[in-house]
Amino acid sequence: MATNVASSNDGERKALDSVVIRFAGDSGDGMQLTGTQFTQSTALMGNDLATFPDFPAEIRAPAGTTFGVSAFQINFASYDIQTPGDDPDVLVAMNPAALKVHLKDVPKGGTVILNVDAFTDRNIKRAGYENNPLEDGTLDNHVVIAIEINKLTNAAVADCEVTSKEATRCKNFWALGLMCWMYNRERQPTIDWVNQRFGKLPNIAAANIAALNAGHAYGETVELPSGVEAYVVPRADVQPGTYRAVTGTEAVAWGLIAGAKKAGLDLFLGSYPITPASALLHTLTGLKNYGVTTFQAEDEIAAVCSAIGASYAGSLGVTSSSGPGIALKTEAIGLALVTELPLVIVNVQRGGPSTGLPTKTEQSDLFQAVYGRNADTPLPVIASRTAGDCFETAIEAVRIATKYMTPVILLTDGFLANSAEPWEIPDADAIADFPVEFRTDPEGFHPYLRNEVTLARNWAIPGTPGLMHRIGGIEKDYDSGHISYDSDNHHRMTKVRAAKIDGIAKDIPAQEVAMGEEKGKLAVVGWGSTFGAINQAVSRCVSGGLNVAHIHLRHIHPFPKNLGDLLSGFDRVMVPEMNNGQLVHVLRDKYLVDAESITQITGQPFKVSTLEREIRSRVEG
Amino acid sequence: MNIETPVEALKPNDYASDQEVRWCPGCGDYAIIKGVHRTLAELQIPLENLVFFSGIGCAARFPYYMASYGFHTIHGRAPALATGAKLANPDLDIWVVMGDGDALSIGGNHTMHAIRRNVDLNLLLFNNEIYGLTKGQYSPTSQLGTRSPSTPQGSVDAPLTPLSVALGAGARFVARTFDTNQKHMPGVLKAAHAHKGASLVEIIQNCIVYNDGAFDGWTDRKVVSDNSITVEHGRPLIFGAEENKGIAQADGGFGIRVVTIGVDGVTEDDVLVHDENNKMLAMMLADMKQPEFPVALGVLYNNPSKSYDDAVHEQLATVKEASPPGTINELLRKGRTWTVSEGS
């Protein structure tokens, strides 16, 4: 994104509207931590922001290799932004490998801050450079700030009584300190964090703080190359309210807890470790005092089965995983569906198939969610668009699961789960309760008695006198709930299960247009975490006078009732997805609409510029 | 003061549902369900508190024939569902009915982990050494050389011994009985029920269609006394129609052997006394096979430790006491927040 220079209003600091910074280093260099701390400070400064953590699947890949490079990008601005930014204005590269991987994304004239101490012959070769990139003209088109970060860090922490290895480890805090100076970020939140994190290791805490302060002081005292100076990014003009930084993982966890509370149920999570979904298990485990029981099962199958067992016993059963794990849960999801028990299945999507790209982001499990089970097994599918939106979608998943007695799939992805954004904290009390009423009346009871409106069966839980009954995977009689092999009954039960899910369309909001008019030349239809990129691209085109609209789906199955009519109001429909084309097929299937697919399967989020180009090519001229 | 109204006692038949039982005539499952009904009536467990989970297979139809709550789930997964239900509501009295293919093949992982965790479940493993519902394929407990539709020349892979596997997985309670042994079964089931934690009961069951007579060599009335031994805690390991055979320590100290009292100077003092807290003894008893040894019946091991569900709920209680739950609004506002006011 272009860095617009506005008039200076902060002493000697130059004011910028927006900045994109990318921190990159070895996976052991603490780049994620550096980025997270910078994000916290930036959020507290009142800027709008979006982040993109991008890290390798290996925990500690061999040092100095390109495949071991871990990066964290943050875009912050004085105005409303929606994506972590296309290209970095500033790249902080802690070693040659980080430079090798990320330099190509830095536009001409962009700033590159380098730790020259890491540019040893060995590291340079290991990164795949033939010659030292600091000397061979590689960086001629960039503003380079080459600093002996190791040496300066070691000097800064000399009095802290730490080993030389521990001293060198503080270099990320030195770099963070420099960036805090350059962009006028407060150091105190980071200092507080360090003291809390290393409370039992006061020497380590002191060393990290010393490195942070030294990096900051370096910026204040050293003359930097021409073109580099101290900046200020004024606060964003955002809606009044109370804000916090939130990741999708946190928002899903809080949404599930809020949903369970609105339903009047305890929450049970059965899960099995898998990237990038494990963080949800960790987060919910830390919230046991909110009526949450977490169970790390022996495998994905046991995870979903335990959740179904918990729902059967009267809790809200939830299971979380990513695509490959969801595949393993499939048979059990069919059981929850046929026994008509509430269940929330959170799929934090990742690159696939099979192991694929576990730490990269992709939206390729839409077919799996909508169609991916044996037999006729429709179930509701909901997708989150932003980290904060995960709170609302999680509540919605709980509402539908309990009201309609059905498993619900909630789709998020690795990008949403890990990235942070400022979030205006909603008033949870303003969200309507949807209390579950367990059946207690034995009069006329059988387990498949249905609510006439929702078609949901009544929920009677073990422990209730007089309502003893048996459920299971074998088809049940519509009128008695007993085992039935009757062919007409199976037809009827299949139809009623489908009608129940289709009927949810009457109970969800009509599809709105996120940007632009309700009719026009081109509708860009998206779902999931592409929201920010699409919205910004459409926004730019609309301000440029183009006739284009953005429609973003939360409900993937069933679709909102008005979606077909809405789409028919546009000459063309374009569907950008981070997969090889999935929603586009569902739309074509459902509405016979000539939707065009735009795909990107690189494991990286869409760039706004890419989408803008695609839109312009369809509506210009 | 409250005067308790006497509740009419539940009879064995009160535990049977009104559904027509559809096992093959002569199936061992009929005897087992009878034994379970009797046991439950002896324990007077309220129907509404009782839940039967099952997987897939002939045995898995069991819940439909019970008047309690029941959940017929999917192949091999019953222990996982039951674990979730027990954690969600620890007051439920949960029984899990599994077959040998169900519990030890497709569901081996769940069986192992339910046992390892010591979830308070009564796990009934109906072992007929064959796949019945899918029409007769060999199972993980089928004897070597079993001819079946999938092994026409005879199976070539060794069977496993369920109770040995369970003890290897850290079981705190293992027992064995067989379908027609109606005098014995209720006692074993009651001991399993009394044990707080995972209780595994292997119930040897005759499949009259696909594996008829597989256990006649030691369950038939004519040979049962000589070819099986019913163990009881604190009693000498004596068996045989003449009650003159016993299990003694092997010569040299390791292992066990069969001795005859009165032969070669062996006296009753040489016979080991059953100690259900002794895991090494339990492992040797569990592994006793015909024809060298009698098959061991009864409670082979019963050494309770804290159940998983108790431990989980204790932890929950501790956490709740240390930090009482706030409102959702408080949850959302924990940590760093900032306020943007009008016009700032």
Side-chain angles (χ1 to χ4, degrees):
Chain A
M1 182 186 302
T3 309
N4 304 316
V5 179
S7 64
S8 174
N9 59 358
D10 185 57
E12 300 190 7
R13 286 181 176 268
K14 183 187 272 186
L16 301 176
D17 282 347
S18 78
V19 182
V20 178
I21 301 174
R22 188 180 293 178
F23 297 93
D26 245 348
S27 25
D29 278 348
M31 290 299 98
Q32 300 305 319
L33 178 59
T34 309
T36 309
Q37 289 306 319
F38 194 84
T39 303
Q40 279 290 353
S41 297
T42 299
L44 293 173
M45 300 293 289
N47 293 125
D48 198 10
L49 67 89
T51 70
F52 177 43
D54 185 19
F55 45 87
E58 292 79 10
I59 301 300
R60 291 280 161 87
T65 57
T66 50
F67 56 88
V69 172
S70 173
F72 187 103
Q73 182 161 312
I74 175 168
N75 181 9
F76 58 104
S78 61
Y79 56 84
D80 181 29
I81 51 167
Q82 314 223 356
T83 77
D86 287 1
D87 302 317
D89 301 307
V90 181
L91 170 67
V92 180
M94 298 300 280
N95 69 2
L99 183 69
K100 177 87 180 172
V101 173
H102 293 288
L103 182 64
K104 62 178 188 318
D105 295 333
V106 184
K108 278 184 185 174
T111 302
V112 179
I113 297 174
L114 298 164
N115 176 18
V116 283
D117 288 334
F119 282 69
T120 60
D121 289 347
R122 193 157 161 267
N123 282 351
I124 288 166
K125 290 269 171 324
R126 189 166 257 196
Y129 283 116
E130 303 232 327
N131 303 305
N132 187 343
L134 302 180
E135 293 161 2
D136 70 353
T138 301
L139 295 163
D140 281 356
N141 292 323
H142 299 91
V143 178
V144 178
I145 307 175
I147 310 171
E148 294 168 302
I149 297 181
N150 285 17
K151 202 174 131 199
L152 292 166
T153 304
N154 285 333
V157 306
D159 296 337
C160 297
E161 292 180 20
V162 290
T163 65
S164 67
K165 202 173 164 188
E166 287 165 343
T168 308
R169 266 205 207 135
C170 297
K171 62 181 181 289
N172 60 328
F173 276 87
W174 195 97
L176 179 60
L178 177 63
M179 299 314 285
C180 284
W181 167 78
M182 193 174 280
Y183 293 99
N184 201 28
R185 309 288 99 175
E186 302 253 356
R187 280 165 287 160
Q188 197 57 43
T190 300
I191 292 168
D192 293 345
W193 180 87
V194 168
N195 281 326
Q196 194 197 358
R197 172 75 176 76
F198 297 109
K200 287 186 182 149
L201 301 164
N203 293 352
I204 302 284
N208 278 307
I209 293 166
L212 180 78
N213 289 336
H216 193 269
Y218 180 90
E220 277 185 343
T221 52
V222 172
E223 272 191 32
L224 291 166
S226 83
V228 179
E229 50 198 300
Y231 303 98
V232 63
V233 179
R235 309 175 71 88
D237 184 17
V238 293
Q239 191 154 317
T242 304
Y243 286 77
R244 68 173 304 146
V246 72
T247 64
T249 297
E250 290 165 332
V252 169
W254 300 336
L256 290 170
I257 289 173
K261 196 154 178 138
K262 304 255 163 226
L265 302 176
D266 281 339
L267 176 65
F268 178 96
L269 175 77
S271 191
Y272 183 78
I274 184 170
T275 302
S278 305
L280 185 58
L281 169 62
H282 307 163
T283 306
L284 280 169
T285 296
L287 296 167
K288 286 193 178 113
N289 52 334
Y290 284 87
V292 177
T293 302
T294 58
F295 174 59
Q296 182 181 319
E298 57 271 25
D299 58 29
E300 295 282 1
I301 299 170
V304 62
C305 284
S306 65
I308 298 170
S311 281
Y312 173 67
S315 284
L316 172 71
V318 177
T319 190
S320 56
S321 189
S322 191
I326 301 294
L328 283 165
K329 298 179 195 290
T330 302
E331 186 195 14
I333 294 171
L335 176 72
L337 190 143
V338 82
T339 53
E340 301 188 45
L341 284 167
L343 173 71
V344 176
I345 304 137
V346 182
N347 180 355
V348 187
Q349 299 168 94
R350 67 188 214 185
S354 189
T355 299
L357 305 172
T359 60
K360 308 297 177 190
T361 206
E362 205 167 282
Q363 303 183 289
S364 46
D365 296 342
L366 183 135
F367 280 164
Q368 181 192 44
V370 176
Y371 300 125
R373 288 164 295 283
N374 61 304
D376 290 304
T377 43
L379 54 71
V381 179
I382 301 174
S384 309
R385 59 179 60 174
T386 62
D389 184 51
C390 289
F391 180 72
E392 288 177 37
T393 52
I395 294 174
E396 179 71 344
V398 178
R399 183 185 74 88
I400 292 178
T402 51
K403 183 169 178 184
Y404 292 88
M405 296 292 282
T406 177
V408 175
I409 292 182
L410 174 61
L411 293 173
T412 72
D413 62 33
F415 170 73
L416 287 178
N418 293 320
S419 66
E421 63 166 18
W423 181 51
E424 189 189 351
I425 307 171
D427 177 10
D429 295 338
I431 303 167
D433 288 347
F434 38 86
V436 163
E437 278 182 44
F438 294 122
R439 173 90 183 199
T440 53
D441 181 7
E443 186 63 37
F445 169 78
H446 75 77
Y448 286 84
L449 276 178
R450 291 180 189 280
N451 178 299
E452 284 173 13
V453 179
T454 62
L455 298 177
R457 77 172 182 93
N458 54 183
W459 192 2
I461 57 171
T464 315
L467 297 186
M468 288 76 71
H469 65 276
R470 276 64 56 191
I471 58 172
I474 297 183
E475 187 62 277
K476 296 297 183 291
D477 184 75
Y478 186 95
D479 295 311
S480 71
H482 292 312
I483 289 181
S484 168
Y485 293 111
D486 182 83
S487 48
D488 290 341
N489 178 71
H490 178 55
H491 180 88
R492 187 181 186 192
M493 287 295 271
T494 302
K495 290 288 188 191
V496 77
R497 284 189 288 264
K500 178 176 82 168
I501 303 305
D502 287 342
I504 294 170
K506 292 178 281 184
D507 193 19
I508 58 177
Q511 184 61 46
E512 290 178 353
V513 176
M515 170 80 58
E517 303 297 322
E518 298 211 340
K519 282 184 184 341
K521 274 192 179 172
L522 177 69
V524 185
V525 182
W527 67 282
S529 71
T530 53
F531 178 82
I534 297 176
N535 203 255
Q536 207 145 349
V538 171
S539 162
R540 285 190 201 170
C541 294
V542 168
S543 3
L546 298 181
N547 187 347
V548 53
H550 176 201
I551 294 169
H552 213 78
L553 302 179
R554 168 181 283 181
H555 291 274
I556 308 284
H557 190 85
F559 285 133
K561 267 170 41 183
N562 64 328
L563 182 61
D565 287 344
L566 189 58
L567 294 181
S568 66
F570 292 90
D571 299 343
R572 293 176 82 167
V573 173
M574 171 181 130
V575 186
E577 294 177 86
M578 295 186 293
N579 58 37
N580 202 27
Q582 298 198 7
L583 176 67
V584 69
H585 289 288
V586 182
L587 290 172
R588 292 169 75 108
D589 166 27
K590 180 93 182 167
Y591 300 117
L592 286 173
V593 58
D594 186 16
E596 304 163 50
S597 183
I598 304 296
T599 62
Q600 177 180 300
I601 319 121
T602 57
Q604 303 292 321
F606 273 114
K607 287 184 177 178
V608 177
S609 54
T610 308
L611 294 174
E612 196 179 342
R613 208 167 43 240
E614 293 288 352
I615 295 167
R616 289 187 182 280
S617 74
R618 282 168 175 77
V619 290
E620 273 178 346
Chain B
M1 82 186 258
N2 287 327
I3 298 169
E4 284 200 16
T5 343
V7 183
E8 205 169 324
L10 287 156
K11 294 183 273 306
N13 266 350
D14 294 331
Y15 289 91
S17 77
D18 59 354
Q19 297 295 292
E20 183 195 350
V21 183
R22 293 194 188 175
W23 286 312
C24 306
C27 176
D29 289 351
Y30 283 96
I32 299 174
I33 203 165
K34 204 173 114 195
V36 170
H37 289 161
R38 269 183 54 199
T39 307
L40 296 172
E42 285 181 31
L43 294 167
Q44 285 294 302
I45 300 172
L47 282 166
E48 66 266 21
N49 222 28
L50 193 58
V51 190
F52 276 81
F53 282 90
S54 66
I56 294 292
C58 296
R61 297 300 178 88
F62 204 94
Y64 292 119
Y65 308 140
M66 300 295 300
S68 65
Y69 283 92
F71 198 163
H72 177 213
T73 71
I74 44 179
H75 205 10
R77 318 302 172 199
L81 278 112
T83 298
K86 186 70 186 178
L87 288 175
N89 184 356
D91 295 335
L92 296 175
D93 197 325
I94 302 184
W95 300 64
V96 182
V97 175
M98 311 178 286
D100 41 310
D102 191 49
L104 302 168
S105 214
I106 193 166
N109 202 25
H110 311 306
T111 306
M112 174 171 80
H113 288 280
I115 287 170
R116 168 183 75 78
R117 293 191 181 100
N118 202 30
V119 188
D120 187 21
L121 303 170
N122 304 301
L123 304 163
L124 309 185
L125 170 60
F126 295 13
N127 183 6
N128 58 12
E129 299 188 355
I130 207 78
Y131 282 81
L133 197 65
T134 52
K135 301 192 169 41
Q137 299 83 0
Y138 84 121
S139 91
T141 53
S142 293
Q143 300 306 306
L144 202 62
T146 296
R147 288 176 189 277
S148 80
S150 58
T151 51
Q153 287 81 33
S155 61
V156 294
D157 41 343
L160 56 75
T161 306
L163 297 189
S164 301
V165 171
L167 287 166
R172 311 299 304 199
F173 182 101
V174 303
R176 191 186 281 134
T177 186
F178 64 90
D179 49 10
T180 52
N181 198 358
Q182 286 293 312
K183 278 195 186 140
H184 185 243
M185 190 184 299
V188 168
L189 295 180
K190 278 195 281 184
H193 185 260
H195 171 256
K196 173 92 175 122
S199 313
L200 180 70
V201 182
E202 180 187 16
I203 307 177
I204 300 297
Q205 176 239 331
N206 187 48
C207 174
I208 197 160
V209 175
Y210 295 109
N211 209 14
D212 193 25
F215 310 103
D216 282 358
W218 62 272
T219 60
D220 189 87
R221 202 174 310 170
K222 294 185 208 109
V223 294
V224 67
S225 304
D226 281 323
N227 294 346
S228 73
I229 177 170
T230 301
V231 306
E232 270 182 76
H233 182 61
R235 303 281 297 255
L237 293 165
I238 288 176
F239 67 105
E242 316 269 318
E243 299 205 354
N244 64 340
K245 289 192 269 187
I247 305 297
Q249 200 171 348
D251 289 330
F254 292 112
I256 49 173
R257 66 190 166 121
V258 172
V259 294
T260 307
I261 297 162
V263 174
D264 295 336
V266 171
T267 69
E268 201 175 317
D269 290 346
D270 295 317
V271 174
L272 290 167
V273 171
H274 182 47
D275 175 4
E276 65 182 20
N277 299 312
N278 184 331
K279 182 154 176 179
M280 285 303 136
L281 179 62
M283 291 183 88
M284 289 190 280
L285 292 172
D287 205 36
M288 292 200 303
K289 293 191 177 75
Q290 281 275 285
E292 191 188 353
F293 286 102
V295 174
L297 299 170
V299 178
L300 307 193
Y301 188 58
N302 183 7
N303 189 8
S305 121
K306 178 172 280 189
S307 75
Y308 179 71
D309 36 299
D310 272 355
V312 166
H313 282 274
E314 276 176 26
Q315 217 171 51
L316 284 172
T318 310
V319 170
K320 279 181 188 170
E321 202 179 290
S323 53
T327 63
I328 299 297
N329 273 336
E330 282 163 356
L331 170 66
L332 300 183
R333 283 157 182 81
K334 257 165 79 173
R336 285 181 189 146
T337 63
W338 65 96
T339 303
V340 176
S341 45
E342 208 76 50
S344 74

